Amino acid sequence: MIQQIAPQTGVAFTLKKGEQLQVIDPQGMQVSDMVLFNQHDIREKISSGKTLDFEESILISKGNYLWSNRSRKMIKLLEDTNGRNDFLLAPCSPETFQIMYNNHEYHPSCFENLYTNLAAYNILPDDIPTAFNIFMNVQFNSKGKLSVLPPMSQPNDYVLFEAQMDLIVGLTACSAEDSNGGTFKPIHYKIISNKG
Amino acid sequence: MIQQIAPQTGVAFTLKKGEQLQVIDPQGMQVSDMVLFNQHDIREKISSGKTLDFEESILISKGNYLWSNRSRKMIKLLEDTNGRNDFLLAPCSPETFQIMYNNHEYHPSCFENLYTNLAAYNILPDDIPTAFNIFMNVQFNSKGKLSVLPPMSQPNDYVLFEAQMDLIVGLTACSAEDSNGGTFKPIHYKIISNKG
């Protein structure tokens, strides 16, 4: 069953080892921030530093794994129809909009949408790591300069993941204008059980 | 007073807001992994994701700040005579040598040298974030492929930092063969007080 994450919101749920998670961009050009925790010990979580190290690449796509801070495989990318994701930048937070957008009004953020939904699993704001930003189009040049461009994802592009351990998943429909070309769209996801 | 970090070891110490820290590569071609925590609340610490986001660059050098997971400036790079540092890769750990080097014997690591020294400040292994890897020469191509090459640092190259808040600092002389061209060398450092 396909489930919807409304624009500028998030969800949290568990995913058992061997289960698959399909994250879909139904309209195209939207980003979904994902964080993962070991379901049985939330101090183990995804690590950008460990993942880039073990996968020897800034760009993470089909065939790569996301690794934990304890150097263990958490999830595998089985399929990736768009092929561009980001694992460099932290989830957008209230400070992102203050510092990068000079917006000092309230603004929804992936950070808030992650920690409010993950609170049900006793995960606190300080526990949120750098997210794996599905469909996010962060370009870099040879001098390392970073630019956030609109996603290249087309309607119904998806990434299919397979859990390598029992997980808690936090997942958003991104709230930042720069990440999705100023349009706020939903994200769809589907859990595919290995029990049939 | 210049202090020495012996090859394949580490130290931890406090640095007050406004104090400067000079990290020196006395012989050249050596890496020093640095982690920072808020001295008054160790749940605030350096964040690669926040730093790359706010500084809009993979490469962090003179004039840049290292930012915390709470989106605050922790330290400024005032000077950088070599100019190449890394903030992508996690500190080398026992698993690094097992997975990347196929070495299953005991091997010293920056991760161990950070957490054993930081234990005095109640910082646990799971609390160690991706380090700022001073002098580390991680090259990337346009497809994001990462290569760890020997540092380009010459004898007595240094980075001079200025603390933006009261800090706990963890600092190593790196233990990984790939990071320093297979030579294990010391790192020197100097704390320059603002009290004269």
Side-chain angles (χ1 to χ4, degrees), chain A residues 43 49-50 53 56-59 70-71 88 90 93 95 100 126-127 143-144 146, chain B residues 43 49-50 53 56-59 70-71 88 90 93 95 100 126-127 143-144 146:
Chain A
R43 291 178 60 83
K50 282 292 180 193
D53 200 354
E56 301 182 82
S57 181
I58 291 174
L59 297 176
R70 294 183 188 163
S71 297
L88 296 177
S93 67
E95 298 83 5
M100 306 294 284
D126 282 333
D127 298 329
K143 295 186 185 304
L146 293 170
Chain B
R43 292 178 60 83
K50 282 292 180 192
D53 201 353
E56 300 181 85
S57 180
I58 291 174
L59 297 175
R70 295 183 187 164
S71 298
L88 296 177
S93 67
E95 297 83 5
M100 306 294 284
D126 282 331
D127 299 328
K143 294 185 186 304
L146 293 170

PDB file of all heavy atoms in Angstrom, chain A residues 43 49-50 53 56-59 70-71 88 90 93 95 100 126-127 143-144 146, chain B residues 43 49-50 53 56-59 70-71 88 90 93 95 100 126-127 143-144 146:
ATOM      1  N   ARG A  43      21.444   4.567  19.618  1.00  0.00           N
ATOM      2  CA  ARG A  43      22.735   5.264  19.527  1.00  0.00           C
ATOM      3  C   ARG A  43      23.498   4.848  18.256  1.00  0.00           C
ATOM      4  O   ARG A  43      24.490   5.469  17.900  1.00  0.00           O
ATOM      5  CB  ARG A  43      23.570   5.022  20.787  1.00  0.00           C
ATOM      6  CG  ARG A  43      22.930   5.729  22.010  1.00  0.00           C
ATOM      7  CD  ARG A  43      23.706   5.483  23.286  1.00  0.00           C
ATOM      8  NE  ARG A  43      25.071   5.954  23.209  1.00  0.00           N
ATOM      9  CZ  ARG A  43      25.450   7.213  23.414  1.00  0.00           C
ATOM     10  NH1 ARG A  43      24.570   8.141  23.703  1.00  0.00           N
ATOM     11  NH2 ARG A  43      26.715   7.537  23.344  1.00  0.00           N
ATOM     12  N   GLY A  49      29.883  10.222   7.172  1.00  0.00           N
ATOM     13  CA  GLY A  49      31.336  10.023   7.140  1.00  0.00           C
ATOM     14  C   GLY A  49      31.732   8.574   6.899  1.00  0.00           C
ATOM     15  O   GLY A  49      32.651   8.283   6.131  1.00  0.00           O
ATOM     16  N   LYS A  50      31.048   7.641   7.569  1.00  0.00           N
ATOM     17  CA  LYS A  50      31.354   6.218   7.370  1.00  0.00           C
ATOM     18  C   LYS A  50      30.911   5.766   5.979  1.00  0.00           C
ATOM     19  O   LYS A  50      31.583   4.959   5.332  1.00  0.00           O
ATOM     20  CB  LYS A  50      30.657   5.374   8.449  1.00  0.00           C
ATOM     21  CG  LYS A  50      31.364   5.398   9.793  1.00  0.00           C
ATOM     22  CD  LYS A  50      32.712   4.680   9.721  1.00  0.00           C
ATOM     23  CE  LYS A  50      33.454   4.683  11.032  1.00  0.00           C
ATOM     24  NZ  LYS A  50      34.880   4.269  10.875  1.00  0.00           N
ATOM     25  N   ASP A  53      33.210   7.066   3.249  1.00  0.00           N
ATOM     26  CA  ASP A  53      34.495   6.379   3.398  1.00  0.00           C
ATOM     27  C   ASP A  53      34.427   4.974   2.795  1.00  0.00           C
ATOM     28  O   ASP A  53      35.211   4.613   1.912  1.00  0.00           O
ATOM     29  CB  ASP A  53      34.833   6.311   4.892  1.00  0.00           C
ATOM     30  CG  ASP A  53      36.304   6.082   5.165  1.00  0.00           C
ATOM     31  OD1 ASP A  53      37.071   5.866   4.211  1.00  0.00           O
ATOM     32  OD2 ASP A  53      36.696   6.118   6.350  1.00  0.00           O
ATOM     33  N   GLU A  56      33.529   4.941  -0.893  1.00  0.00           N
ATOM     34  CA  GLU A  56      34.552   5.669  -1.662  1.00  0.00           C
ATOM     35  C   GLU A  56      33.935   6.595  -2.711  1.00  0.00           C
ATOM     36  O   GLU A  56      34.458   6.732  -3.822  1.00  0.00           O
ATOM     37  CB  GLU A  56      35.535   4.684  -2.315  1.00  0.00           C
ATOM     38  CG  GLU A  56      36.249   3.806  -1.286  1.00  0.00           C
ATOM     39  CD  GLU A  56      37.265   2.845  -1.895  1.00  0.00           C
ATOM     40  OE1 GLU A  56      38.395   3.283  -2.170  1.00  0.00           O
ATOM     41  OE2 GLU A  56      36.923   1.664  -2.101  1.00  0.00           O
ATOM     42  N   SER A  57      32.839   7.222  -2.334  1.00  0.00           N
ATOM     43  CA  SER A  57      32.163   8.112  -3.281  1.00  0.00           C
ATOM     44  C   SER A  57      31.322   9.140  -2.542  1.00  0.00           C
ATOM     45  O   SER A  57      30.728   8.834  -1.501  1.00  0.00           O
ATOM     46  CB  SER A  57      31.250   7.302  -4.210  1.00  0.00           C
ATOM     47  OG  SER A  57      30.608   8.162  -5.133  1.00  0.00           O
ATOM     48  N   ILE A  58      31.272  10.353  -3.098  1.00  0.00           N
ATOM     49  CA  ILE A  58      30.351  11.375  -2.595  1.00  0.00           C
ATOM     50  C   ILE A  58      28.923  11.035  -3.014  1.00  0.00           C
ATOM     51  O   ILE A  58      27.976  11.292  -2.281  1.00  0.00           O
ATOM     52  CB  ILE A  58      30.747  12.764  -3.145  1.00  0.00           C
ATOM     53  CG1 ILE A  58      32.070  13.234  -2.528  1.00  0.00           C
ATOM     54  CG2 ILE A  58      29.646  13.795  -2.896  1.00  0.00           C
ATOM     55  CD1 ILE A  58      32.605  14.531  -3.119  1.00  0.00           C
ATOM     56  N   LEU A  59      28.780  10.468  -4.209  1.00  0.00           N
ATOM     57  CA  LEU A  59      27.451  10.192  -4.758  1.00  0.00           C
ATOM     58  C   LEU A  59      27.071   8.748  -4.455  1.00  0.00           C
ATOM     59  O   LEU A  59      27.819   7.814  -4.751  1.00  0.00           O
ATOM     60  CB  LEU A  59      27.434  10.468  -6.259  1.00  0.00           C
ATOM     61  CG  LEU A  59      27.692  11.941  -6.610  1.00  0.00           C
ATOM     62  CD1 LEU A  59      27.771  12.132  -8.116  1.00  0.00           C
ATOM     63  CD2 LEU A  59      26.611  12.846  -6.015  1.00  0.00           C
ATOM     64  N   ARG A  70      28.718   2.844  13.713  1.00  0.00           N
ATOM     65  CA  ARG A  70      29.451   1.670  14.219  1.00  0.00           C
ATOM     66  C   ARG A  70      29.979   0.799  13.079  1.00  0.00           C
ATOM     67  O   ARG A  70      30.280  -0.385  13.287  1.00  0.00           O
ATOM     68  CB  ARG A  70      28.549   0.842  15.141  1.00  0.00           C
ATOM     69  CG  ARG A  70      28.182   1.582  16.422  1.00  0.00           C
ATOM     70  CD  ARG A  70      27.361   0.704  17.348  1.00  0.00           C
ATOM     71  NE  ARG A  70      26.846   1.459  18.477  1.00  0.00           N
ATOM     72  CZ  ARG A  70      25.842   1.057  19.266  1.00  0.00           C
ATOM     73  NH1 ARG A  70      25.248  -0.104  19.016  1.00  0.00           N
ATOM     74  NH2 ARG A  70      25.430   1.805  20.263  1.00  0.00           N
ATOM     75  N   SER A  71      30.069   1.381  11.894  1.00  0.00           N
ATOM     76  CA  SER A  71      30.697   0.717  10.733  1.00  0.00           C
ATOM     77  C   SER A  71      29.938  -0.530  10.293  1.00  0.00           C
ATOM     78  O   SER A  71      30.544  -1.501   9.843  1.00  0.00           O
ATOM     79  CB  SER A  71      32.160   0.353  11.035  1.00  0.00           C
ATOM     80  OG  SER A  71      32.918   1.509  11.277  1.00  0.00           O
ATOM     81  N   LEU A  88      25.759  14.997   1.768  1.00  0.00           N
ATOM     82  CA  LEU A  88      26.702  15.985   2.303  1.00  0.00           C
ATOM     83  C   LEU A  88      26.037  16.937   3.294  1.00  0.00           C
ATOM     84  O   LEU A  88      26.663  17.323   4.285  1.00  0.00           O
ATOM     85  CB  LEU A  88      27.299  16.829   1.165  1.00  0.00           C
ATOM     86  CG  LEU A  88      28.161  16.097   0.131  1.00  0.00           C
ATOM     87  CD1 LEU A  88      28.592  17.071  -0.956  1.00  0.00           C
ATOM     88  CD2 LEU A  88      29.378  15.446   0.787  1.00  0.00           C
ATOM     89  N   ALA A  90      23.285  18.736   5.924  1.00  0.00           N
ATOM     90  CA  ALA A  90      22.386  18.465   7.050  1.00  0.00           C
ATOM     91  C   ALA A  90      20.950  18.801   6.651  1.00  0.00           C
ATOM     92  O   ALA A  90      20.720  19.622   5.760  1.00  0.00           O
ATOM     93  CB  ALA A  90      22.812  19.291   8.250  1.00  0.00           C
ATOM     94  N   SER A  93      16.856  23.194   8.737  1.00  0.00           N
ATOM     95  CA  SER A  93      16.387  23.426  10.108  1.00  0.00           C
ATOM     96  C   SER A  93      15.952  24.885  10.208  1.00  0.00           C
ATOM     97  O   SER A  93      16.175  25.666   9.282  1.00  0.00           O
ATOM     98  CB  SER A  93      17.525  23.140  11.098  1.00  0.00           C
ATOM     99  OG  SER A  93      18.560  24.085  10.948  1.00  0.00           O
ATOM    100  N   GLU A  95      17.354  27.229  11.601  1.00  0.00           N
ATOM    101  CA  GLU A  95      18.526  28.082  11.378  1.00  0.00           C
ATOM    102  C   GLU A  95      18.913  28.149   9.902  1.00  0.00           C
ATOM    103  O   GLU A  95      19.511  29.124   9.458  1.00  0.00           O
ATOM    104  CB  GLU A  95      19.717  27.581  12.195  1.00  0.00           C
ATOM    105  CG  GLU A  95      19.496  27.600  13.706  1.00  0.00           C
ATOM    106  CD  GLU A  95      18.741  26.382  14.219  1.00  0.00           C
ATOM    107  OE1 GLU A  95      18.470  25.469  13.417  1.00  0.00           O
ATOM    108  OE2 GLU A  95      18.404  26.363  15.417  1.00  0.00           O
ATOM    109  N   MET A 100      20.645  30.965   5.707  1.00  0.00           N
ATOM    110  CA  MET A 100      20.814  30.835   4.254  1.00  0.00           C
ATOM    111  C   MET A 100      19.747  31.611   3.472  1.00  0.00           C
ATOM    112  O   MET A 100      19.973  31.979   2.321  1.00  0.00           O
ATOM    113  CB  MET A 100      20.752  29.361   3.846  1.00  0.00           C
ATOM    114  CG  MET A 100      21.717  28.452   4.590  1.00  0.00           C
ATOM    115  SD  MET A 100      23.460  28.785   4.244  1.00  0.00           S
ATOM    116  CE  MET A 100      23.627  28.037   2.609  1.00  0.00           C
ATOM    117  N   ASP A 126      18.938  16.519  19.245  1.00  0.00           N
ATOM    118  CA  ASP A 126      20.397  16.400  19.137  1.00  0.00           C
ATOM    119  C   ASP A 126      20.839  15.063  18.550  1.00  0.00           C
ATOM    120  O   ASP A 126      21.999  14.910  18.160  1.00  0.00           O
ATOM    121  CB  ASP A 126      21.057  16.563  20.512  1.00  0.00           C
ATOM    122  CG  ASP A 126      21.139  18.011  20.950  1.00  0.00           C
ATOM    123  OD1 ASP A 126      21.185  18.910  20.077  1.00  0.00           O
ATOM    124  OD2 ASP A 126      21.173  18.246  22.172  1.00  0.00           O
ATOM    125  N   ASP A 127      19.937  14.091  18.505  1.00  0.00           N
ATOM    126  CA  ASP A 127      20.295  12.765  17.979  1.00  0.00           C
ATOM    127  C   ASP A 127      20.188  12.688  16.454  1.00  0.00           C
ATOM    128  O   ASP A 127      20.620  11.690  15.866  1.00  0.00           O
ATOM    129  CB  ASP A 127      19.354  11.691  18.554  1.00  0.00           C
ATOM    130  CG  ASP A 127      19.457  11.580  20.059  1.00  0.00           C
ATOM    131  OD1 ASP A 127      20.558  11.827  20.599  1.00  0.00           O
ATOM    132  OD2 ASP A 127      18.432  11.254  20.705  1.00  0.00           O
ATOM    133  N   LYS A 143      36.704  22.744  -7.245  1.00  0.00           N
ATOM    134  CA  LYS A 143      37.206  23.441  -6.050  1.00  0.00           C
ATOM    135  C   LYS A 143      36.354  23.158  -4.818  1.00  0.00           C
ATOM    136  O   LYS A 143      36.570  23.742  -3.757  1.00  0.00           O
ATOM    137  CB  LYS A 143      37.248  24.951  -6.314  1.00  0.00           C
ATOM    138  CG  LYS A 143      38.246  25.339  -7.409  1.00  0.00           C
ATOM    139  CD  LYS A 143      38.369  26.849  -7.528  1.00  0.00           C
ATOM    140  CE  LYS A 143      39.261  27.253  -8.685  1.00  0.00           C
ATOM    141  NZ  LYS A 143      40.620  26.662  -8.642  1.00  0.00           N
ATOM    142  N   GLY A 144      35.352  22.281  -4.962  1.00  0.00           N
ATOM    143  CA  GLY A 144      34.531  21.894  -3.814  1.00  0.00           C
ATOM    144  C   GLY A 144      33.337  22.790  -3.576  1.00  0.00           C
ATOM    145  O   GLY A 144      32.561  22.547  -2.645  1.00  0.00           O
ATOM    146  N   LEU A 146      29.784  24.155  -3.473  1.00  0.00           N
ATOM    147  CA  LEU A 146      28.514  23.425  -3.503  1.00  0.00           C
ATOM    148  C   LEU A 146      27.374  24.320  -3.978  1.00  0.00           C
ATOM    149  O   LEU A 146      27.304  25.492  -3.597  1.00  0.00           O
ATOM    150  CB  LEU A 146      28.187  22.900  -2.102  1.00  0.00           C
ATOM    151  CG  LEU A 146      29.130  21.823  -1.559  1.00  0.00           C
ATOM    152  CD1 LEU A 146      28.859  21.566  -0.084  1.00  0.00           C
ATOM    153  CD2 LEU A 146      28.979  20.530  -2.354  1.00  0.00           C
TER     154      LEU A 146
ATOM    155  N   ARG B  43      26.399  17.362  24.150  1.00  0.00           N
ATOM    156  CA  ARG B  43      25.519  16.935  23.046  1.00  0.00           C
ATOM    157  C   ARG B  43      25.608  17.892  21.851  1.00  0.00           C
ATOM    158  O   ARG B  43      25.128  17.574  20.773  1.00  0.00           O
ATOM    159  CB  ARG B  43      24.078  16.774  23.537  1.00  0.00           C
ATOM    160  CG  ARG B  43      23.964  15.575  24.506  1.00  0.00           C
ATOM    161  CD  ARG B  43      22.556  15.418  25.059  1.00  0.00           C
ATOM    162  NE  ARG B  43      21.578  15.213  24.026  1.00  0.00           N
ATOM    163  CZ  ARG B  43      21.317  14.028  23.457  1.00  0.00           C
ATOM    164  NH1 ARG B  43      21.962  12.946  23.840  1.00  0.00           N
ATOM    165  NH2 ARG B  43      20.397  13.929  22.518  1.00  0.00           N
ATOM    166  N   GLY B  49      27.796  17.984   8.150  1.00  0.00           N
ATOM    167  CA  GLY B  49      26.631  18.360   7.344  1.00  0.00           C
ATOM    168  C   GLY B  49      26.273  19.825   7.486  1.00  0.00           C
ATOM    169  O   GLY B  49      25.966  20.507   6.499  1.00  0.00           O
ATOM    170  N   LYS B  50      26.304  20.344   8.713  1.00  0.00           N
ATOM    171  CA  LYS B  50      25.992  21.759   8.933  1.00  0.00           C
ATOM    172  C   LYS B  50      27.103  22.644   8.368  1.00  0.00           C
ATOM    173  O   LYS B  50      26.844  23.713   7.802  1.00  0.00           O
ATOM    174  CB  LYS B  50      25.797  22.038  10.428  1.00  0.00           C
ATOM    175  CG  LYS B  50      24.448  21.603  10.958  1.00  0.00           C
ATOM    176  CD  LYS B  50      23.315  22.454  10.376  1.00  0.00           C
ATOM    177  CE  LYS B  50      21.952  22.053  10.873  1.00  0.00           C
ATOM    178  NZ  LYS B  50      20.857  22.694  10.081  1.00  0.00           N
ATOM    179  N   ASP B  53      27.071  22.782   4.580  1.00  0.00           N
ATOM    180  CA  ASP B  53      25.878  23.519   4.182  1.00  0.00           C
ATOM    181  C   ASP B  53      26.114  25.030   4.326  1.00  0.00           C
ATOM    182  O   ASP B  53      25.979  25.785   3.355  1.00  0.00           O
ATOM    183  CB  ASP B  53      24.716  23.066   5.078  1.00  0.00           C
ATOM    184  CG  ASP B  53      23.340  23.347   4.491  1.00  0.00           C
ATOM    185  OD1 ASP B  53      23.257  24.011   3.440  1.00  0.00           O
ATOM    186  OD2 ASP B  53      22.351  22.902   5.082  1.00  0.00           O
ATOM    187  N   GLU B  56      29.006  26.338   2.256  1.00  0.00           N
ATOM    188  CA  GLU B  56      28.740  26.093   0.824  1.00  0.00           C
ATOM    189  C   GLU B  56      29.962  25.556   0.083  1.00  0.00           C
ATOM    190  O   GLU B  56      30.227  25.929  -1.063  1.00  0.00           O
ATOM    191  CB  GLU B  56      28.216  27.367   0.144  1.00  0.00           C
ATOM    192  CG  GLU B  56      26.917  27.865   0.762  1.00  0.00           C
ATOM    193  CD  GLU B  56      26.348  29.118   0.093  1.00  0.00           C
ATOM    194  OE1 GLU B  56      25.649  28.969  -0.907  1.00  0.00           O
ATOM    195  OE2 GLU B  56      26.617  30.230   0.576  1.00  0.00           O
ATOM    196  N   SER B  57      30.703  24.685   0.757  1.00  0.00           N
ATOM    197  CA  SER B  57      31.921  24.136   0.153  1.00  0.00           C
ATOM    198  C   SER B  57      32.279  22.804   0.793  1.00  0.00           C
ATOM    199  O   SER B  57      32.095  22.620   2.002  1.00  0.00           O
ATOM    200  CB  SER B  57      33.087  25.113   0.347  1.00  0.00           C
ATOM    201  OG  SER B  57      34.262  24.596  -0.234  1.00  0.00           O
ATOM    202  N   ILE B  58      32.791  21.898  -0.028  1.00  0.00           N
ATOM    203  CA  ILE B  58      33.364  20.655   0.495  1.00  0.00           C
ATOM    204  C   ILE B  58      34.705  20.947   1.166  1.00  0.00           C
ATOM    205  O   ILE B  58      35.054  20.306   2.156  1.00  0.00           O
ATOM    206  CB  ILE B  58      33.555  19.635  -0.658  1.00  0.00           C
ATOM    207  CG1 ILE B  58      32.198  19.152  -1.175  1.00  0.00           C
ATOM    208  CG2 ILE B  58      34.425  18.460  -0.222  1.00  0.00           C
ATOM    209  CD1 ILE B  58      32.287  18.258  -2.409  1.00  0.00           C
ATOM    210  N   LEU B  59      35.447  21.897   0.603  1.00  0.00           N
ATOM    211  CA  LEU B  59      36.796  22.184   1.114  1.00  0.00           C
ATOM    212  C   LEU B  59      36.726  23.338   2.096  1.00  0.00           C
ATOM    213  O   LEU B  59      36.195  24.411   1.780  1.00  0.00           O
ATOM    214  CB  LEU B  59      37.741  22.491  -0.047  1.00  0.00           C
ATOM    215  CG  LEU B  59      37.934  21.299  -1.000  1.00  0.00           C
ATOM    216  CD1 LEU B  59      38.790  21.714  -2.190  1.00  0.00           C
ATOM    217  CD2 LEU B  59      38.571  20.119  -0.278  1.00  0.00           C
ATOM    218  N   ARG B  70      23.897  22.142  16.285  1.00  0.00           N
ATOM    219  CA  ARG B  70      22.860  23.116  16.657  1.00  0.00           C
ATOM    220  C   ARG B  70      22.998  24.405  15.845  1.00  0.00           C
ATOM    221  O   ARG B  70      22.503  25.460  16.248  1.00  0.00           O
ATOM    222  CB  ARG B  70      22.919  23.407  18.157  1.00  0.00           C
ATOM    223  CG  ARG B  70      22.577  22.190  19.002  1.00  0.00           C
ATOM    224  CD  ARG B  70      22.571  22.545  20.489  1.00  0.00           C
ATOM    225  NE  ARG B  70      22.401  21.355  21.316  1.00  0.00           N
ATOM    226  CZ  ARG B  70      22.672  21.324  22.619  1.00  0.00           C
ATOM    227  NH1 ARG B  70      23.109  22.423  23.237  1.00  0.00           N
ATOM    228  NH2 ARG B  70      22.509  20.203  23.309  1.00  0.00           N
ATOM    229  N   SER B  71      23.705  24.323  14.733  1.00  0.00           N
ATOM    230  CA  SER B  71      23.809  25.452  13.790  1.00  0.00           C
ATOM    231  C   SER B  71      24.507  26.662  14.397  1.00  0.00           C
ATOM    232  O   SER B  71      24.173  27.805  14.078  1.00  0.00           O
ATOM    233  CB  SER B  71      22.428  25.868  13.260  1.00  0.00           C
ATOM    234  OG  SER B  71      21.824  24.807  12.553  1.00  0.00           O
ATOM    235  N   LEU B  88      34.895  15.095   4.964  1.00  0.00           N
ATOM    236  CA  LEU B  88      33.971  14.104   4.404  1.00  0.00           C
ATOM    237  C   LEU B  88      34.035  12.775   5.145  1.00  0.00           C
ATOM    238  O   LEU B  88      33.003  12.119   5.324  1.00  0.00           O
ATOM    239  CB  LEU B  88      34.291  13.842   2.922  1.00  0.00           C
ATOM    240  CG  LEU B  88      34.116  15.017   1.954  1.00  0.00           C
ATOM    241  CD1 LEU B  88      34.556  14.600   0.560  1.00  0.00           C
ATOM    242  CD2 LEU B  88      32.669  15.511   1.950  1.00  0.00           C
ATOM    243  N   ALA B  90      34.911   9.779   7.985  1.00  0.00           N
ATOM    244  CA  ALA B  90      34.930   9.481   9.413  1.00  0.00           C
ATOM    245  C   ALA B  90      36.351   9.137   9.859  1.00  0.00           C
ATOM    246  O   ALA B  90      37.180   8.698   9.052  1.00  0.00           O
ATOM    247  CB  ALA B  90      33.993   8.315   9.710  1.00  0.00           C
ATOM    248  N   SER B  93      38.926   3.784  12.126  1.00  0.00           N
ATOM    249  CA  SER B  93      38.513   2.982  13.288  1.00  0.00           C
ATOM    250  C   SER B  93      38.991   1.554  13.060  1.00  0.00           C
ATOM    251  O   SER B  93      39.458   1.220  11.965  1.00  0.00           O
ATOM    252  CB  SER B  93      36.988   3.020  13.414  1.00  0.00           C
ATOM    253  OG  SER B  93      36.386   2.351  12.323  1.00  0.00           O
ATOM    254  N   GLU B  95      37.354  -0.934  12.337  1.00  0.00           N
ATOM    255  CA  GLU B  95      36.647  -1.478  11.168  1.00  0.00           C
ATOM    256  C   GLU B  95      37.231  -0.928   9.865  1.00  0.00           C
ATOM    257  O   GLU B  95      37.149  -1.577   8.825  1.00  0.00           O
ATOM    258  CB  GLU B  95      35.154  -1.153  11.242  1.00  0.00           C
ATOM    259  CG  GLU B  95      34.444  -1.770  12.436  1.00  0.00           C
ATOM    260  CD  GLU B  95      34.595  -0.964  13.718  1.00  0.00           C
ATOM    261  OE1 GLU B  95      35.188   0.141  13.678  1.00  0.00           O
ATOM    262  OE2 GLU B  95      34.132  -1.438  14.770  1.00  0.00           O
ATOM    263  N   MET B 100      38.720  -1.730   4.788  1.00  0.00           N
ATOM    264  CA  MET B 100      39.420  -1.037   3.699  1.00  0.00           C
ATOM    265  C   MET B 100      40.831  -1.593   3.479  1.00  0.00           C
ATOM    266  O   MET B 100      41.387  -1.450   2.396  1.00  0.00           O
ATOM    267  CB  MET B 100      39.529   0.467   3.998  1.00  0.00           C
ATOM    268  CG  MET B 100      38.198   1.150   4.305  1.00  0.00           C
ATOM    269  SD  MET B 100      37.058   1.191   2.897  1.00  0.00           S
ATOM    270  CE  MET B 100      37.800   2.497   1.911  1.00  0.00           C
ATOM    271  N   ASP B 126      30.168   6.227  20.879  1.00  0.00           N
ATOM    272  CA  ASP B 126      29.060   6.568  19.973  1.00  0.00           C
ATOM    273  C   ASP B 126      28.885   8.076  19.795  1.00  0.00           C
ATOM    274  O   ASP B 126      28.165   8.507  18.886  1.00  0.00           O
ATOM    275  CB  ASP B 126      27.740   5.985  20.496  1.00  0.00           C
ATOM    276  CG  ASP B 126      27.609   4.498  20.211  1.00  0.00           C
ATOM    277  OD1 ASP B 126      28.183   4.023  19.220  1.00  0.00           O
ATOM    278  OD2 ASP B 126      26.900   3.824  20.984  1.00  0.00           O
ATOM    279  N   ASP B 127      29.487   8.862  20.671  1.00  0.00           N
ATOM    280  CA  ASP B 127      29.349  10.320  20.579  1.00  0.00           C
ATOM    281  C   ASP B 127      30.323  10.951  19.585  1.00  0.00           C
ATOM    282  O   ASP B 127      30.209  12.145  19.280  1.00  0.00           O
ATOM    283  CB  ASP B 127      29.617  10.974  21.957  1.00  0.00           C
ATOM    284  CG  ASP B 127      28.636  10.521  23.017  1.00  0.00           C
ATOM    285  OD1 ASP B 127      27.468  10.248  22.657  1.00  0.00           O
ATOM    286  OD2 ASP B 127      29.030  10.451  24.194  1.00  0.00           O
ATOM    287  N   LYS B 143      32.564  12.794 -10.867  1.00  0.00           N
ATOM    288  CA  LYS B 143      31.557  11.769 -10.589  1.00  0.00           C
ATOM    289  C   LYS B 143      31.457  11.458  -9.094  1.00  0.00           C
ATOM    290  O   LYS B 143      30.740  10.535  -8.694  1.00  0.00           O
ATOM    291  CB  LYS B 143      31.877  10.491 -11.371  1.00  0.00           C
ATOM    292  CG  LYS B 143      31.758  10.677 -12.889  1.00  0.00           C
ATOM    293  CD  LYS B 143      31.956   9.358 -13.601  1.00  0.00           C
ATOM    294  CE  LYS B 143      31.978   9.536 -15.117  1.00  0.00           C
ATOM    295  NZ  LYS B 143      30.778  10.209 -15.671  1.00  0.00           N
ATOM    296  N   GLY B 144      32.229  12.175  -8.267  1.00  0.00           N
ATOM    297  CA  GLY B 144      32.145  11.994  -6.827  1.00  0.00           C
ATOM    298  C   GLY B 144      33.065  10.924  -6.271  1.00  0.00           C
ATOM    299  O   GLY B 144      33.098  10.696  -5.063  1.00  0.00           O
ATOM    300  N   LEU B 146      36.004   9.170  -4.601  1.00  0.00           N
ATOM    301  CA  LEU B 146      36.939   9.693  -3.596  1.00  0.00           C
ATOM    302  C   LEU B 146      38.239   8.899  -3.595  1.00  0.00           C
ATOM    303  O   LEU B 146      38.229   7.668  -3.727  1.00  0.00           O
ATOM    304  CB  LEU B 146      36.297   9.597  -2.203  1.00  0.00           C
ATOM    305  CG  LEU B 146      35.096  10.511  -1.978  1.00  0.00           C
ATOM    306  CD1 LEU B 146      34.393  10.155  -0.668  1.00  0.00           C
ATOM    307  CD2 LEU B 146      35.519  11.974  -1.973  1.00  0.00           C
TER     308      LEU B 146
END
